Amino acid sequence: MYLYLEKLVQALQKQFRVEVHHLSAVQLIDGIAPLPPEQSRPVEHLNSGTLYLCDYRRLRQLDPFINLAPILCVVEPGVHTDDIFFENRTAVVVENSTVIEVLFFLNSRMYDYGRQSSDLLEISQSFLRCKTPEDLMAEGYLVLGNPLVITDGAQKVMAYTPPAIVRNSQYNAIMEMDYLPVGHPDRDSLSGYWLTREAPFLNPGGGEVPDIICKELTIGGSTKGYLHVLQFNRSFQEEDNYIIGMLSNLLTAHLWNFHEYVQSGREDAVGQFLRDILDDRMHDTEALLRRQHELKLAFKRYIRVAIIVSKKDLDAPRVSFTLLAEQMEQMLPGSRAFLYKNSINVLLTCDEPGVDAAALLAPVMELLEQYRMAVGISNPFSSLTRLREYSYQAFKALQLGSTLHREDTLNDYRDYAIYRMVEAGLTRGGLVDFCMPELQILLDHCRENGPELLDTLRTYLECRCNKAQTSKVLFTHPNTIKYRISQIESIMGVSLDDQENIMALQLSFKLLDYSSHFPVEPSD
């Protein structure tokens, strides 16, 4: 049985004078044990999940600078303490009492915790036996003794405990006047009738309404509803918060299933229209534009397509693409998100063609990284008649980027257009044949002597021929970089001050990268 050390301290403070040093609010312990006598056990063998009980004399025998497991130190009446023995460790100091008194109190509290754990286990099992949200609502009312109200994300009441069951005239009146829960946007206009503190905290009612506990029902990082428990029949207890949290989790699971069912069975006219374009079912340009007008589907001057897929990492968190697509639209004003095959497609809109892809997607990048997603984004275009063409750009950016730079979240087609040129024009060509011939000399040299000079040249080009920056990236002394560049020029027989040579080498490295990941047959 695990206990919150913070809760145990709160219980001790009701009975004794207590000082606390370096206590984490979320620190858990799995039991209480006496600190072993001196020299009986090495300090490093103490369990960090156990709260060790000792008197001040025993504590002083320990090195004050060793960070031990949490200590509960009992200071007998009349004993003077030195704070240095508590400064470097998690310590709960019970002053002016005896070990016997504290032990007796702890035994009593441990019995209470055990009884509460047993009760909560039975409640958990009763909740898990419920098959529907209605069953959970009814069981929750029986357990908590107070009425429950569920609202959706827009604070509209979805379900509530029937007034006939509660039998309270005040509850009847509140539900008849269309209950406005804590956090409702219209609440402030009610002249203080409702509270100003936000969910999900316990809110004192102030006479007009009862105390309220409000818990968010969150799916995929998005709030889909709230569970409100109104104190009418009995006062809230400490364990009620745990019970309400468990109940809200189960209701969230039911809400998830309902939401997924509704979304999968609903025909989204805009999404279907965009999917029809991608499936090449809209051959008539005039019909396409007319349908766009009927759906009132308007964009700014330029559009860019973003295709979002999962990286399929083993440790990637699971997420609903339906809900994630909704979040994309909410977080990217003016955008349109829809599901297509195994991806989320987002139409991003902007007034200028040169807006950076990272800037367009900045509001959602943290979310995409959290869920281990990869994004391919197209160049800008100005009409939905070209959606299919530019969606292919986004797809190719995603395909190439996921292979060449697997850890990157964002893959902009502008950065991969050179590879598309290679793919389109040299499908059956030997790519190495199109590399700068002098680079082949360096490749041969590095096969025999190691890749040091080749890596230096690649980094030097990536750093725009800046030797100081190259030395920083490679963690190498600038004079060494200068010497290696001289060696490279000597082996290849070319000058790296010539811009034509620089451009030829940059293109050659891109061809080599492509060839290593997408090998093609040599020309006949």
Side-chain angles (χ1 to χ4, degrees):
M1 177 181 61
Y2 285 83
L3 308 173
Y4 279 102
L5 183 51
E6 181 190 33
K7 296 293 184 183
L8 191 60
V9 169
Q10 290 173 358
L12 283 165
Q13 287 174 331
K14 296 176 182 178
Q15 187 76 16
F16 305 100
R17 180 182 170 188
V18 175
E19 288 187 5
V20 179
H21 300 265
H22 306 292
L23 171 62
S24 168
V26 295
Q27 189 164 359
L28 291 170
I29 60 172
D30 57 9
I32 300 173
L35 191 70
E38 187 177 8
Q39 306 301 330
S40 67
R41 192 193 319 176
V43 164
E44 59 268 21
H45 289 174
L46 294 179
N47 182 2
S48 61
T50 299
L51 178 65
Y52 289 96
L53 179 68
C54 70
D55 59 20
Y56 184 62
R57 179 194 61 80
R58 175 71 183 96
L59 185 71
R60 290 189 60 181
Q61 295 170 352
L62 301 176
D63 185 341
F65 300 104
I66 295 178
N67 190 8
L68 296 173
I71 298 290
L72 194 158
C73 179
V74 181
V75 180
E76 301 278 350
V79 174
H80 297 287
T81 62
D82 188 341
D83 286 346
I84 191 174
F85 292 98
F86 307 112
E87 286 180 354
N88 197 46
R89 55 175 60 100
T90 298
V92 181
V93 186
V94 182
E95 297 186 343
N96 294 322
S97 187
T98 65
V99 175
I100 299 298
E101 290 172 341
V102 174
L103 274 174
F104 181 80
F105 176 80
L106 289 177
N107 284 334
S108 174
R109 289 304 298 167
M110 295 293 279
Y111 171 80
D112 291 340
Y113 282 129
R115 178 181 53 79
Q116 291 174 11
S117 296
S118 177
D119 292 343
L120 292 174
L121 178 60
E122 291 185 13
I123 292 170
S124 301
Q125 292 174 340
S126 70
F127 283 162
L128 290 171
R129 285 192 291 268
C130 295
K131 302 298 183 183
T132 66
E134 291 75 18
D135 292 343
L136 279 170
M137 292 278 285
E139 190 69 25
Y141 175 71
L142 290 175
V143 170
L144 296 166
N146 284 307
L148 290 74
V149 180
I150 298 179
T151 63
D152 62 15
Q155 302 285 4
K156 180 181 179 181
V157 175
M158 299 170 63
Y160 55 92
T161 303
I165 297 177
V166 182
R167 296 180 180 178
N168 183 291
S169 59
Q170 189 183 14
Y171 178 68
N172 290 359
I174 286 178
M175 298 315 300
E176 286 173 2
M177 65 169 284
D178 192 12
Y179 169 67
L180 293 180
V182 175
H184 192 285
D186 296 331
R187 179 169 44 80
D188 294 336
S189 65
L190 298 178
S191 303
Y193 186 81
W194 297 90
L195 309 172
T196 57
R197 292 178 64 188
E198 296 298 328
F201 301 102
L202 174 65
N203 295 270
E208 297 281 5
V209 292
D211 289 359
I212 303 168
I213 292 181
C214 179
K215 294 289 186 181
E216 288 182 284
L217 305 180
T218 304
I219 301 174
S222 174
T223 298
K224 296 299 177 182
Y226 298 89
L227 168 65
H228 310 262
V229 183
L230 287 70
Q231 179 181 291
F232 275 108
N233 298 342
R234 71 172 182 85
S235 299
F236 288 126
Q237 306 298 317
E238 181 178 327
E239 60 269 20
D240 286 347
N241 222 356
Y242 173 84
I243 294 170
I244 293 169
M246 179 170 51
L247 183 61
S248 67
N249 288 337
L250 292 172
L251 284 168
T252 300
H254 282 281
L255 188 61
W256 174 288
N257 293 334
F258 171 77
H259 187 84
E260 288 289 285
Y261 172 77
V262 171
Q263 288 293 334
S264 61
R266 186 183 69 182
E267 190 67 15
D268 178 359
V270 171
Q272 189 56 52
F273 168 61
L274 298 171
R275 285 188 288 270
D276 285 345
I277 298 175
L278 295 179
D279 288 334
D280 203 19
R281 295 176 181 171
M282 302 291 294
H283 303 290
D284 188 332
T285 300
E286 291 186 7
L288 186 154
L289 295 175
R290 185 168 58 251
R291 182 61 176 152
Q292 179 183 352
H293 179 73
E294 291 171 357
L295 292 171
K296 299 179 180 179
L297 187 56
F299 297 98
K300 294 180 181 178
R301 187 173 180 182
Y302 295 100
I303 307 169
R304 295 180 78 173
V305 182
I307 297 179
I308 302 170
V309 299
S310 172
K311 290 184 177 180
K312 306 296 184 185
D313 292 354
L314 293 177
D315 60 345
R318 297 180 63 182
V319 61
S320 164
F321 271 27
T322 301
L323 297 174
L324 192 56
E326 290 182 6
Q327 286 183 280
M328 295 297 103
E329 283 198 358
Q330 294 170 4
M331 300 172 72
L332 299 167
S335 67
R336 286 284 182 171
F338 61 99
L339 303 186
Y340 182 69
K341 296 183 178 178
N342 296 318
S343 65
I344 300 172
N345 285 32
V346 185
L347 303 189
L348 304 164
T349 181
C350 54
D351 291 319
E352 299 294 335
V355 178
D356 185 60
L360 277 176
L361 289 169
V364 299
M365 286 303 295
E366 183 176 347
L367 188 67
L368 296 173
E369 290 168 356
Q370 173 189 341
Y371 288 120
R372 299 291 292 157
M373 296 292 179
V375 185
I377 188 167
S378 74
N379 287 336
F381 59 104
S382 56
S383 172
L384 281 183
T385 58
R386 306 190 69 185
L387 174 61
R388 195 163 183 266
E389 171 189 349
Y390 281 84
S391 289
Y392 186 71
Q393 282 190 2
F395 168 75
K396 292 306 296 185
L398 187 60
Q399 182 190 53
L400 292 165
S402 297
T403 303
L404 297 171
H405 305 103
R406 296 187 60 182
E407 291 304 313
D408 288 356
T409 298
L410 180 59
N411 304 282
D412 191 340
Y413 182 76
R414 297 181 187 188
D415 299 329
Y416 295 97
I418 183 67
Y419 300 113
R420 281 290 295 125
M421 180 192 74
V422 170
E423 187 178 61
L426 303 175
T427 305
R428 295 185 56 81
L431 294 184
V432 176
D433 293 342
F434 294 88
C435 291
M436 184 178 180
E438 289 81 2
L439 181 59
Q440 187 62 52
I441 299 173
L442 182 64
L443 287 170
D444 293 339
H445 173 86
C446 290
R447 288 192 189 97
E448 297 179 4
N449 300 281
E452 185 179 82
L453 294 182
L454 189 66
D455 292 342
T456 300
L457 176 58
R458 181 188 287 270
T459 306
Y460 180 65
L461 295 173
E462 291 172 352
C463 292
R464 299 182 180 181
C465 302
N466 185 312
K467 294 185 179 69
Q469 184 63 29
T470 304
S471 70
K472 290 181 181 179
V473 172
L474 294 178
F475 301 100
T476 306
H477 194 278
N479 288 341
T480 303
I481 296 297
K482 185 177 179 180
Y483 174 71
R484 288 182 188 174
I485 295 297
S486 176
Q487 276 188 299
I488 291 168
E489 289 179 319
S490 176
I491 292 168
M492 295 174 61
V494 299
S495 169
L496 294 182
D497 292 328
D498 188 317
Q499 288 302 310
E500 293 292 332
N501 290 337
I502 296 298
M503 290 179 61
L505 285 168
Q506 289 172 332
L507 176 60
S508 296
F509 273 114
K510 289 187 180 294
L511 293 174
L512 290 174
D513 288 342
Y514 185 92
S515 180
S516 64
H517 289 92
F518 304 98
V520 295
E521 299 176 13
S523 56
D524 295 332

